[in-house]
Amino acid sequence: MNCLALFTPPRSRWHDALVSAVHGHDLPLQILPSSPGSEAVQATQGLAPLGFVGALVEDEATQLSAFNAAPRLEVEAEEAGRLDALKVQFGAATGSYLWPEAVRTAIEHAGFAGARVLWVGEARSGLRAALRTVRTVHVWQAAPSAGEAFLQQLPAPQRGRVLLAEAQVEAMAREVDLVVYAGGRLPLAVLQPYHGLFALEEPPVQDAYLAVDQVISPDYFLQVYLSRLLTWTAEVDLPPEAFALHGRHDS
């Protein structure tokens, strides 16, 4: 019987949702502590000989180590320099990075394909693929160099402005459709009643969700993400709602 591995840190956001989702689908889930470095290399290389169908890799350090150990890589993983999923094919593991696809799926399902975007917070790996279907991206960064580095990851037609001051951000926010929050400050004045808010992390402003028209919450995004991971690694096609979230799991 094929088994799916989950490389997880001591406090996992993925564990409970995955366990509830795979129950009844004849897909045992083997929980393995995250092991950066040489241990991650050994674990990655052992997936095929031990009969695993694949693996999901939750924490960033192990994503980087597994990237260096994977015999084969898909384009998304090569571009990001990390992987979050491994699939065993023809006796060897292939690594991919599905976070960008999950971001793109969440944006499209919420009706924001072609949207004008304001990105608040630090850059993430795989931005080019994640934001492929939006029209324009403006970014709020603390330094011009960080902002330019962010925009250089995107195709030229998508590159908007680098915003440094809060007043600039508030003015530009009136011209966008979707605010993507990736951490840091998020003044309530930035948000408009006609905005969508895609919160990769919980906003620091208590009333942020009440200030906008539509919300893609971190919990919902995690459900979309896990759905894409399971579909790719194990070919088990479950909707995001199948991944019930019950808080964090202590290993």
Side-chain angles (χ1 to χ4, degrees):
M1 181 185 298
N2 285 327
C3 186
L4 181 67
L6 170 63
F7 294 105
T8 178
R11 292 184 62 80
S12 170
R13 291 196 67 216
W14 295 12
H15 175 274
D16 289 354
L18 284 166
V19 169
S20 67
V22 302
H23 180 71
H25 286 274
D26 195 25
L27 182 67
L29 187 67
Q30 179 70 41
I31 311 302
L32 302 173
S34 291
S35 51
S38 59
E39 293 182 11
V41 173
Q42 295 173 1
T44 300
Q45 296 173 342
L47 291 174
L50 293 175
F52 283 86
V53 67
L56 310 181
V57 187
E58 182 172 356
D59 71 294
E60 293 187 2
T62 306
Q63 288 179 358
L64 295 171
S65 297
F67 169 83
N68 294 320
R72 296 189 294 253
L73 295 167
E74 293 209 328
V75 173
E76 293 79 7
E78 290 179 341
E79 290 181 349
R82 66 176 64 230
L83 60 81
D84 54 14
L86 291 150
K87 176 164 60 175
V88 175
Q89 297 174 302
F90 310 110
T94 298
S96 189
Y97 187 56
L98 297 174
W99 182 87
E101 181 184 341
V103 171
R104 193 166 64 249
T105 299
I107 289 174
E108 291 174 354
H109 285 183
F112 288 104
R116 299 163 297 179
V117 170
L118 169 62
W119 183 285
V120 178
E122 296 299 317
R124 304 290 175 95
S125 299
L127 280 176
R128 184 184 185 93
L131 300 176
R132 183 177 298 155
T133 60
V134 305
R135 186 194 315 175
T136 307
V137 182
H138 307 285
V139 59
W140 185 10
Q141 294 287 292
S145 57
E148 292 299 332
F150 182 106
L151 293 180
Q152 286 299 316
Q153 298 183 57
L154 306 176
Q158 284 185 309
R159 296 173 194 164
R161 291 179 55 195
V162 176
L163 310 168
L164 303 175
E166 186 174 324
Q168 291 179 304
V169 178
E170 291 181 20
M172 181 56 70
R174 302 187 185 100
E175 301 179 21
V176 304
D177 311 296
L178 179 66
V179 177
V180 180
Y181 174 70
R185 295 183 59 240
L186 181 62
L188 199 60
V190 170
L191 302 174
Q192 300 296 325
Y194 49 83
H195 279 161
L197 174 60
F198 187 170
L200 295 170
E201 301 181 18
E202 291 291 351
V205 183
Q206 185 175 4
D207 295 329
Y209 291 156
L210 301 177
V212 298
D213 177 61
Q214 189 173 351
V215 172
I216 305 171
S217 70
D219 282 350
Y220 176 70
F221 173 63
L222 177 59
Q223 291 175 306
V224 173
Y225 188 13
L226 295 177
S227 175
R228 300 310 304 147
L229 286 166
L230 205 60
T231 298
W232 188 80
T233 54
E235 299 182 358
V236 175
D237 194 6
L238 296 173
E241 294 75 19
F243 297 82
L245 301 177
H246 304 296
R248 298 185 178 222
H249 171 77
D250 293 318
S251 298

Coordinates of all heavy atoms in Angstrom, one line a residue, residues 107-148:
I107 N -6.5 33.3 -5.9 CA -6.8 34.6 -6.5 C -7.8 34.4 -7.6 O -8.8 35.1 -7.7 CB -5.5 35.2 -7.1 CG1 -4.6 35.7 -6.0 CG2 -5.8 36.3 -8.1 CD1 -3.2 36.2 -6.5
E108 N -7.7 33.4 -8.4 CA -8.6 33.1 -9.5 C -10.0 32.7 -9.0 O -11.0 33.2 -9.5 CB -8.0 32.1 -10.5 CG -6.8 32.5 -11.3 CD -6.2 31.4 -12.1 OE1 -6.6 30.3 -12.0 OE2 -5.3 31.7 -12.8
H109 N -10.0 31.8 -8.0 CA -11.3 31.4 -7.5 C -12.1 32.5 -6.8 O -13.3 32.5 -6.8 CB -11.1 30.2 -6.5 CG -10.8 28.9 -7.2 ND1 -10.6 27.8 -6.5 CD2 -10.6 28.6 -8.5 CE1 -10.3 26.8 -7.4 NE2 -10.3 27.3 -8.6
A110 N -11.3 33.5 -6.3 CA -12.0 34.7 -5.7 C -12.4 35.7 -6.7 O -13.0 36.7 -6.3 CB -11.1 35.3 -4.6
G111 N -12.1 35.5 -8.0 CA -12.5 36.4 -9.0 C -11.5 37.6 -9.3 O -12.0 38.6 -9.8
F112 N -10.3 37.4 -8.9 CA -9.3 38.5 -9.0 C -8.3 38.3 -10.1 O -7.2 39.0 -10.1 CB -8.6 38.8 -7.7 CG -9.5 39.4 -6.7 CD1 -10.1 38.7 -5.6 CD2 -9.9 40.8 -6.8 CE1 -10.9 39.3 -4.7 CE2 -10.7 41.4 -5.9 CZ -11.3 40.6 -4.8
A113 N -8.5 37.4 -11.0 CA -7.7 37.3 -12.2 C -7.7 38.6 -13.0 O -8.8 39.2 -13.2 CB -8.1 36.1 -13.1
G114 N -6.6 39.1 -13.4 CA -6.6 40.4 -14.0 C -6.6 41.6 -13.1 O -6.7 42.8 -13.6
A115 N -6.5 41.4 -11.8 CA -6.6 42.5 -10.8 C -5.4 43.3 -10.7 O -4.3 42.9 -11.1 CB -7.0 41.9 -9.4
R116 N -5.6 44.6 -10.3 CA -4.4 45.4 -9.9 C -4.2 45.1 -8.4 O -5.1 45.2 -7.6 CB -4.8 46.9 -10.1 CG -5.1 47.2 -11.5 CD -5.9 48.5 -11.7 NE -7.2 48.4 -11.0 CZ -8.1 49.5 -10.9 NH1 -7.8 50.6 -11.4 NH2 -9.2 49.3 -10.3
V117 N -2.9 44.8 -8.1 CA -2.5 44.3 -6.8 C -1.6 45.3 -6.0 O -0.7 45.8 -6.6 CB -1.9 42.9 -6.9 CG1 -1.3 42.5 -5.6 CG2 -2.9 41.9 -7.4
L118 N -1.8 45.4 -4.7 CA -0.9 46.0 -3.8 C -0.4 45.0 -2.9 O -1.1 44.4 -2.2 CB -1.6 47.1 -3.0 CG -0.8 47.7 -1.8 CD1 0.5 48.4 -2.3 CD2 -1.7 48.7 -1.0
W119 N 0.9 44.7 -2.9 CA 1.6 43.7 -2.1 C 2.2 44.4 -0.9 O 3.0 45.4 -1.0 CB 2.7 43.0 -2.8 CG 3.3 41.9 -2.1 CD1 4.2 42.0 -1.1 CD2 3.1 40.5 -2.2 NE1 4.6 40.8 -0.6 CE2 3.9 39.8 -1.3 CE3 2.3 39.7 -3.1 CZ2 4.0 38.4 -1.2 CZ3 2.4 38.3 -3.0 CH2 3.2 37.7 -2.1
V120 N 1.8 44.0 0.3 CA 2.2 44.6 1.6 C 3.1 43.5 2.3 O 2.5 42.5 2.7 CB 1.1 45.1 2.5 CG1 1.6 45.6 3.8 CG2 0.2 46.1 1.7
G121 N 4.3 43.8 2.5 CA 5.2 42.8 3.2 C 6.3 42.3 2.4 O 6.5 42.7 1.3
E122 N 7.0 41.3 3.0 CA 8.2 40.8 2.3 C 7.9 39.9 1.1 O 6.8 39.4 1.0 CB 9.0 39.9 3.4 CG 9.5 40.7 4.5 CD 10.5 41.8 4.1 OE1 11.3 41.6 3.2 OE2 10.4 43.0 4.6
A123 N 8.8 39.8 0.2 CA 8.7 39.0 -1.0 C 8.7 37.5 -0.5 O 9.2 37.2 0.5 CB 9.8 39.2 -1.9
R124 N 8.1 36.7 -1.4 CA 8.1 35.2 -1.1 C 8.7 34.6 -2.4 O 8.7 35.1 -3.5 CB 6.7 34.7 -0.9 CG 5.9 35.4 0.3 CD 6.5 35.0 1.6 NE 5.9 35.7 2.7 CZ 4.9 35.2 3.4 NH1 4.3 34.1 3.1 NH2 4.4 35.9 4.4
S125 N 9.2 33.3 -2.2 CA 9.7 32.6 -3.3 C 8.6 32.3 -4.3 O 7.4 32.0 -3.9 CB 10.3 31.3 -2.8 OG 11.4 31.5 -2.0
G126 N 8.9 32.3 -5.6 CA 7.9 31.9 -6.6 C 6.9 33.0 -7.0 O 5.8 32.7 -7.5
L127 N 7.2 34.2 -6.7 CA 6.3 35.3 -7.0 C 5.9 35.4 -8.5 O 4.7 35.7 -8.7 CB 6.9 36.7 -6.6 CG 6.9 37.0 -5.1 CD1 7.7 38.3 -4.9 CD2 5.5 37.2 -4.6
R128 N 6.8 35.2 -9.4 CA 6.5 35.3 -10.8 C 5.3 34.4 -11.1 O 4.3 34.8 -11.8 CB 7.7 34.9 -11.6 CG 7.5 35.1 -13.1 CD 8.7 34.7 -13.9 NE 8.6 35.0 -15.3 CZ 9.1 36.1 -15.9 NH1 9.7 37.0 -15.2 NH2 9.0 36.2 -17.2
A129 N 5.4 33.1 -10.7 CA 4.3 32.1 -11.0 C 3.1 32.4 -10.2 O 1.9 32.3 -10.7 CB 4.8 30.7 -10.7
A130 N 3.2 32.9 -8.9 CA 2.1 33.1 -8.1 C 1.2 34.2 -8.6 O 0.0 34.2 -8.5 CB 2.6 33.4 -6.6
L131 N 1.8 35.3 -9.1 CA 1.0 36.4 -9.6 C 0.9 36.5 -11.1 O 0.6 37.6 -11.6 CB 1.8 37.7 -9.1 CG 1.9 37.8 -7.5 CD1 2.7 39.0 -7.1 CD2 0.6 37.8 -6.8
R132 N 1.0 35.4 -11.7 CA 1.0 35.3 -13.2 C -0.3 35.9 -13.8 O -0.2 36.5 -14.9 CB 1.2 33.9 -13.6 CG 1.3 33.7 -15.2 CD 1.5 32.2 -15.5 NE 2.8 31.8 -14.9 CZ 3.1 30.5 -14.6 NH1 2.2 29.6 -14.8 NH2 4.3 30.2 -14.1
T133 N -1.4 35.7 -13.1 CA -2.7 36.1 -13.8 C -3.2 37.5 -13.4 O -4.3 37.9 -13.8 CB -3.8 35.1 -13.4 OG1 -3.9 35.0 -12.0 CG2 -3.4 33.7 -13.9
V134 N -2.4 38.3 -12.6 CA -2.8 39.6 -12.2 C -2.3 40.6 -13.2 O -1.4 40.3 -14.0 CB -2.4 40.0 -10.8 CG1 -2.9 38.9 -9.8 CG2 -0.9 40.2 -10.7
R135 N -2.9 41.8 -13.2 CA -2.5 42.8 -14.3 C -1.3 43.6 -13.8 O -0.3 43.7 -14.6 CB -3.7 43.8 -14.5 CG -3.4 44.8 -15.6 CD -4.4 45.9 -15.6 NE -5.8 45.5 -15.4 CZ -6.8 46.3 -15.3 NH1 -6.6 47.6 -15.3 NH2 -8.0 45.8 -15.1
T136 N -1.3 44.2 -12.6 CA -0.2 45.1 -12.2 C 0.0 44.8 -10.7 O -0.9 44.5 -10.0 CB -0.6 46.5 -12.4 OG1 -1.0 46.8 -13.7 CG2 0.6 47.5 -12.1
V137 N 1.3 44.9 -10.3 CA 1.6 44.7 -8.9 C 2.4 45.9 -8.4 O 3.5 46.2 -8.9 CB 2.5 43.4 -8.7 CG1 2.8 43.2 -7.2 CG2 1.7 42.2 -9.3
H138 N 1.9 46.6 -7.4 CA 2.7 47.6 -6.7 C 3.1 47.0 -5.3 O 2.4 46.2 -4.8 CB 1.8 48.8 -6.4 CG 1.1 49.4 -7.6 ND1 1.8 50.1 -8.6 CD2 -0.2 49.3 -8.1 CE1 1.0 50.4 -9.6 NE2 -0.2 50.0 -9.3
V139 N 4.2 47.5 -4.8 CA 4.7 46.9 -3.6 C 5.1 47.9 -2.6 O 5.7 48.9 -2.9 CB 5.9 45.9 -3.9 CG1 7.0 46.7 -4.6 CG2 6.4 45.2 -2.7
W140 N 4.8 47.7 -1.3 CA 5.2 48.6 -0.2 C 6.4 47.9 0.5 O 6.3 46.8 1.1 CB 4.0 48.7 0.8 CG 4.3 49.7 1.9 CD1 5.4 50.5 2.0 CD2 3.5 49.9 3.1 NE1 5.3 51.3 3.2 CE2 4.2 50.9 3.8 CE3 2.3 49.3 3.5 CZ2 3.7 51.4 5.1 CZ3 1.8 49.8 4.8 CH2 2.5 50.8 5.5
Q141 N 7.5 48.6 0.4 CA 8.8 48.1 1.0 C 9.4 49.2 1.8 O 9.2 50.4 1.6 CB 9.7 47.6 0.0 CG 9.2 46.4 -0.8 CD 9.3 45.1 0.1 OE1 10.3 44.6 0.4 NE2 8.1 44.6 0.4
A142 N 10.3 48.8 2.7 CA 11.0 49.8 3.6 C 12.1 50.5 2.8 O 12.5 51.7 3.1 CB 11.5 49.2 4.8
A143 N 12.7 49.9 1.8 CA 13.8 50.5 1.1 C 13.6 50.3 -0.4 O 13.0 49.3 -0.9 CB 15.1 49.8 1.5
P144 N 14.1 51.3 -1.2 CA 13.9 51.2 -2.7 C 14.5 50.0 -3.3 O 14.0 49.4 -4.2 CB 14.6 52.5 -3.2 CG 14.6 53.4 -2.0 CD 14.7 52.6 -0.8
S145 N 15.7 49.6 -2.7 CA 16.4 48.4 -3.3 C 15.5 47.1 -3.1 O 15.5 46.3 -4.0 CB 17.7 48.2 -2.6 OG 17.6 48.1 -1.2
A146 N 14.9 47.0 -2.0 CA 14.0 45.8 -1.7 C 12.8 45.8 -2.6 O 12.4 44.8 -3.2 CB 13.6 45.8 -0.2
G147 N 12.3 47.0 -2.8 CA 11.1 47.1 -3.7 C 11.5 46.8 -5.2 O 10.8 46.1 -5.9
E148 N 12.6 47.3 -5.6 CA 13.1 47.0 -7.0 C 13.4 45.5 -7.2 O 13.1 44.9 -8.2 CB 14.3 47.9 -7.4 CG 14.0 49.4 -7.5 CD 12.9 49.7 -8.6 OE1 12.9 48.9 -9.6 OE2 12.2 50.7 -8.4

